[in-house]
Amino acid sequence: QRLWLGRFSVLAMALLALWLAGDPGAAVLDLVGYAWAGFGASIGPALLVSLYLPRVRGITLLAGMVTGGITVILWRKGSGGWFELYEMVPGILASLLAMLLVARLSRRPAHAVS
């Protein structure tokens, strides 16, 4: 019974996806592009920085991830001019800038007096 239920579920999802993709007014591709921009701007720069700069702290990566995601959301709400640019580009730039700033601000002084 589980096998047939699984097969039926896959068939139902495929038919639903086909129906959604066939609708000319549907913006499925636009929604997928928006989701990729959010993931790319939040996770991409943090992943690259953590690979090439392994001494980067968690708070720095978190700041970049949050900033990248928020930038994509806010950029999407704008219209015209610079806002015609794909959301991922400013999201990645903002994420990298946030990581740079947090890394600089959280750096300990070399000769701290205790």
Side-chain angles (χ1 to χ4, degrees):
Q1 284 180 341
R2 287 188 205 171
L3 178 67
W4 283 106
L5 181 63
R7 287 179 179 174
F8 176 74
S9 298
V10 168
L11 179 64
M13 293 302 288
L15 290 174
L16 177 65
L18 223 121
W19 177 70
L20 285 173
D23 183 15
V28 174
L29 184 62
D30 191 40
L31 184 62
V32 169
Y34 182 47
W36 271 110
F39 284 129
S42 61
I43 297 172
L47 178 67
L48 288 174
V49 166
S50 67
L51 284 174
Y52 290 108
L53 303 171
R55 294 176 47 192
V56 173
R57 296 181 189 173
I59 190 71
T60 302
L61 297 174
L62 182 63
M65 291 173 72
V66 169
T67 302
I70 290 173
T71 302
V72 167
I73 293 169
L74 294 177
W75 196 267
R76 175 80 174 219
K77 294 186 183 294
S79 63
W82 282 98
F83 292 106
E84 296 298 319
L85 185 64
Y86 184 46
E87 300 94 14
M88 188 185 293
V89 176
I92 287 174
L93 293 175
S95 176
L96 290 171
L97 182 62
M99 284 189 280
L100 178 70
L101 288 173
V102 170
R104 294 245 179 202
L105 292 175
S106 66
R107 197 182 291 170
R108 293 184 181 152
H111 55 282
V113 177
S114 46

